[in-house]
Amino acid sequence: MTDPAIHALAISAPEFVERVLGDWDNIDHRRKGYNNSTFLANELKLFGLPERRNMLKADLELARVISQDLKEEKFKLELADCFKGFIDVLKAISHVADTVYEEMGRNCESCTPKANNQLKDLIASFEEKSAAFHQMIFSLAANVKETSACLVASKDLRLIDQPTKSPTISGRTYPAKASYTQSENDLPTEEDVLVEKIYTVIKYKKDMAAGCQTLASKLMLAGPNWNIPRLICYRNDEKTNCMDFIFKYPHPELKLLSLHQLYTNGRPEPTLNIRLKLCYQIAAAVLQAYVLGLTHKHIQPQNLLVSTREDNICVEQASLILTGWLNPCSSECQQKSESAFSELIHQYPNYRCRGDTPNVDYNIGYDIYSMGVCMLELLTWELLVRPVGTEEVLSAAYQREFERQENGQTSDTPSNNDLSDDKNHESLIQRYTKDSEKVKNTLIAITETEVRKRAGDNMADLICRCLNCLDPKTGLYDVDTLQQKSIVVQIFRDEIFQRFNRLLSVI
C-alpha cells in the first residue's frame, strides 16, 4: 500500500485526532522543560499557545469528516499526502529539539550551529506545511456532502425546563434540560442544552423550512472547539410557530452570559489578556462559520455568549461561542434583530436593510466588519449602544468622535460633549446613525483613539483592517477574491490570526 493510501486510512481512524495532538503535546511538554534555555523556549513557543492547538484540533476534526465523506479517491490521496508533509515535520521537530537539548547540556548552554539552524528551518517548514494542510481542508470542504439534517418530532424530544421557567440569555436563546433518544434502541438521554428559537414568517414558511434544514446540516459539522455550539437536532414547534434548534450546552458547570449582559450588569473589566482571547475566539467563530458555508449576518454582543462562573464577579478564563442564527433562509424573509440602532452600528455600511430585501448580496466581509465593531467594544469594555431604561443611548465616545467628524476636527481637539442625557434620545441616535459611511468613519476614529490607547497599536490596526476589509483600495478582499474560498481563508489566516498569534505569544 502506498504512503498516501496509508495516511488516508490513518486520517479516517477514530483515534486520529488524539494521536496527532499527542505529538503536539509532547513537544509542548519538552518546551516547558527548557525554561533555562532561552533559545529552545523561544523557538518552540508556538506549541505553548492553546489557540494554535485548538486551531490544529479543528483542522484535524474537519479532515477526518472530509476523509470519510469525499467521494473521489484522488481527493482523499491529495489530502493524505498533504497531511503526511506536516506530520513528518512535527515528528522531526520533536527529535531535533531533543538533540539540541542534549547538546546544550553537554556544552554549557550552547549547541552546534547546524542543530540550531536545523530546528529553525523545521519550525518554518511546519508553519508552511500546516498552512497548506489548513488551506486544502477548506478547499475540499466544498466537495463534501452535507450531513443529513436532524429534524426530530416533538414527541422524540422533551424540554424539561420550559421557556417560561428559563431566563433567556439573549432574545431567542435560553438554557434548558432536554430528554431525547438518539436512536430507536437507546434509552432517553437527559442533558443540559441551549435552545434557540427561529420564528417562522408564514408568508415564507416553505422557504424557511428548507433554509432551516440547510442551516442544521451545516451546523452539524461544527467541531467542539470551533466557538460555535454543537447542534444536537432541531424540531418544528407548531405551538409557538417556530423552529427550535437544540445545541449542547458548553461547559454545563458554568453560566452563560451574553457580552451585552456582561457590559451592562456591572462586572469589572477583565484583564487585557482575557479580552484579547475573546477577540480571538470571535474571529475563530466567524472563520469556522464561513468554512461551514455560513455567513451570520447578526454578529452583535447579544449573540456572543461567554461561559463564566456565576459566583465570580470577574470574567476569568472565558470561553466564547457565536449564537443568533436568525437568517437560515433567503434574503426575502430575513428577520430583524431586536435592537434596530445596535444593528445599524454593527452592520456594514453597504448592507443596510431597506424594506424586505438588502441592497447587496451578503459575504464574509460584512461579518468581518461586524466582528471588528464587537472587538472595539470588547477592548474598550463599553457598548456603543447601551440601554437606559426603555431607551437606547449611544456612548459618549461615539458621540464625541461623530461630532469631531462632522466639524472636521481632529482627535486632538478637546471635547466634553456628552449628549447621552438629551431627552430626545431617538432623534439623536437617528442623526448619528443615518449616514452609514459616517458611522464607519466614527468607529475608525474611536479605534484610533480609544483602542490604540487601551490595547496597543497592533490591535488598533487589526480592527481598522476589519472595518476597512472591503475598501476598494486598501481592503483585505476584492470582488474576485471573494469568489475563491481557499484564498479568502488564507487571507483571513495571514491578516487576522497571525496578528493574534504574535500578540498572544508575548502575553
Side-chain angles (χ1 to χ4, degrees):
M1 190 177 291
T2 63
D3 272 353
I6 292 172
H7 282 87
L9 288 174
I11 293 174
S12 300
E15 69 279 4
F16 163 68
V17 176
E18 289 72 19
R19 190 169 62 245
V20 177
L21 290 178
D23 291 333
W24 177 285
D25 291 339
N26 286 337
I27 296 174
D28 185 36
H29 180 72
R30 293 180 178 89
R31 178 191 66 83
K32 292 175 181 175
Y34 298 149
N35 289 334
N36 295 327
S37 166
T38 303
F39 166 72
L40 281 172
N42 285 340
E43 289 303 313
L44 299 177
K45 64 185 178 184
L46 79 87
F47 295 96
L49 296 174
E51 291 77 15
R52 288 297 299 272
R53 187 185 186 278
N54 288 340
M55 182 180 284
L56 174 61
K57 186 174 183 180
D59 284 352
L60 295 170
E61 286 167 344
L62 185 56
R64 186 165 182 268
V65 171
I66 289 172
S67 69
Q68 293 171 336
D69 288 346
L70 279 173
K71 296 179 180 178
E72 295 191 37
E73 191 67 20
K74 70 172 185 176
F75 288 142
K76 287 186 179 182
L77 296 179
E78 286 176 6
L79 175 62
D81 193 47
C82 188
F83 164 71
K84 181 181 183 299
F86 99 85
I87 199 65
D88 286 349
V89 175
L90 189 66
K91 292 181 181 298
I93 289 172
S94 179
H95 174 73
V96 174
D98 281 342
T99 301
V100 170
Y101 185 62
E102 291 172 4
E103 286 186 1
M104 297 181 79
R106 291 193 301 267
N107 299 300
C108 301
E109 298 290 326
S110 65
C111 63
T112 62
K114 180 180 178 181
N116 184 327
N117 293 333
Q118 187 179 10
L119 185 59
K120 286 185 175 182
D121 290 344
L122 283 170
I123 298 288
S125 178
F126 176 74
E127 290 278 43
E128 178 185 342
K129 291 183 182 298
S130 62
F133 181 60
H134 185 81
Q135 292 170 44
M136 175 163 282
I137 292 168
F138 290 163
S139 64
L140 290 176
N143 297 309
V144 177
K145 65 183 179 182
E146 290 182 347
T147 302
S148 58
C150 46
L151 177 64
V152 299
S154 294
K155 65 181 179 62
D156 295 328
L157 183 141
R158 182 169 62 93
L159 293 180
I160 299 170
D161 288 345
Q162 295 301 313
T164 54
K165 298 179 181 179
S166 301
T168 60
I169 300 173
S170 60
R172 300 175 176 88
T173 305
Y174 62 90
K177 277 193 178 295
S179 176
Y180 63 96
T181 55
Q182 296 182 337
S183 66
E184 291 182 3
N185 299 323
D186 290 339
L187 294 173
T189 298
E190 187 176 306
E191 66 176 299
D192 293 312
V193 297
L194 198 61
V195 182
E196 186 168 314
K197 287 189 172 294
I198 298 180
Y199 290 94
T200 304
V201 180
I202 300 298
K203 180 181 177 182
Y204 303 108
K205 190 170 184 177
K206 185 176 180 180
D207 283 347
M208 292 192 74
C212 284
Q213 182 180 29
T214 299
L215 174 64
S217 296
K218 292 178 177 180
L219 287 174
M220 284 286 287
L221 292 172
N225 295 291
W226 285 22
N227 300 102
I228 295 172
R230 301 198 74 182
L231 184 67
I232 299 172
C233 60
Y234 77 108
R235 66 175 189 170
N236 185 5
D237 186 349
E238 295 181 356
K239 291 182 179 179
T240 59
N241 197 34
C242 70
M243 291 287 189
D244 287 339
F245 275 61
I246 316 297
F247 298 92
K248 286 185 178 293
Y249 192 99
H251 310 295
E253 74 282 5
L254 302 178
K255 183 179 177 66
L256 271 178
L257 294 172
S258 69
L259 276 178
H260 187 276
Q261 290 171 318
L262 287 174
Y263 295 137
T264 57
N265 71 1
R267 292 211 178 198
E269 179 178 324
T271 65
L272 179 59
N273 291 28
I274 294 296
R275 284 178 287 138
L276 286 175
K277 288 180 179 179
L278 289 173
C279 286
Y280 181 98
Q281 290 169 10
I282 297 174
V286 169
L287 180 59
Q288 304 303 357
Y290 177 74
V291 169
L292 294 174
L294 297 169
T295 45
H296 189 277
K297 304 182 178 72
H298 286 285
I299 298 176
Q300 301 177 36
Q302 294 93 328
N303 295 325
L304 295 165
L305 309 188
V306 177
S307 297
T308 184
R309 297 196 179 280
E310 189 169 7
D311 58 350
N312 192 337
I313 62 169
C314 297
V315 179
E316 297 179 356
Q317 298 178 336
S319 176
L320 177 145
I321 58 171
L322 175 61
T323 61
W325 304 95
L326 300 178
N327 289 278
C329 46
S330 62
S331 60
E332 285 78 10
C333 50
Q334 287 183 15
Q335 303 171 56
K336 297 288 186 177
S337 68
E338 285 137 17
S339 172
F341 290 121
S342 178
E343 183 176 273
L344 292 178
I345 292 293
H346 289 84
Q347 202 170 64
Y348 186 75
N350 285 1
Y351 196 73
R352 291 286 184 92
C353 287
R354 293 290 182 263
D356 288 334
T357 59
N359 55 8
V360 291
D361 292 332
Y362 204 92
N363 63 61
I364 190 177
Y366 303 147
D367 276 353
I368 293 174
Y369 177 91
S370 300
M371 175 183 85
V373 181
C374 290
M375 288 180 180
L376 187 162
E377 291 176 309
L378 251 177
L379 294 175
T380 59
W381 201 246
E382 181 181 25
L383 285 170
L384 290 162
V385 181
R386 71 180 189 274
V388 177
T390 59
E391 306 271 355
E392 285 184 322
V393 177
L394 285 163
S395 72
Y398 183 94
Q399 294 179 54
R400 283 195 295 268
E401 293 303 332
F402 186 93
E403 291 295 331
R404 287 192 178 109
Q405 298 288 319
E406 282 274 274
N407 299 324
Q409 298 173 333
T410 68
S411 59
D412 297 328
T413 307
S415 173
N416 295 316
N417 296 333
D418 182 357
L419 308 180
S420 58
D421 293 328
D422 190 286
K423 294 181 180 179
N424 196 353
H425 299 296
E426 189 166 326
S427 64
L428 271 176
I429 292 185
Q430 288 175 341
R431 176 193 166 204
Y432 287 139
T433 59
K434 182 178 180 180
D435 187 319
S436 58
E437 276 300 318
K438 287 182 180 178
V439 170
K440 174 183 168 184
N441 292 336
T442 299
L443 296 178
I444 290 173
I446 296 173
T447 302
E448 292 288 2
T449 54
E450 298 300 318
V451 175
R452 202 170 291 280
K453 179 173 62 179
R454 299 280 297 276
D457 293 339
N458 285 328
M459 277 308 300
D461 292 342
L462 175 57
I463 292 175
C464 286
R465 292 284 277 165
C466 292
L467 297 176
N468 284 315
C469 67
L470 295 177
D471 183 273
K473 295 181 179 179
T474 62
L476 298 174
Y477 301 113
D478 56 32
V479 175
D480 293 333
T481 300
L482 288 168
Q483 308 305 313
Q484 303 176 67
K485 192 170 187 177
S486 62
I487 296 178
V488 170
V489 170
Q490 180 59 30
I491 291 173
F492 196 108
R493 181 186 178 100
D494 291 346
E495 294 291 334
I496 295 175
F497 280 132
Q498 291 291 14
R499 289 172 182 255
F500 273 118
N501 288 333
R502 288 195 293 269
L503 281 169
L504 294 172
S505 68
V506 297
I507 61 173

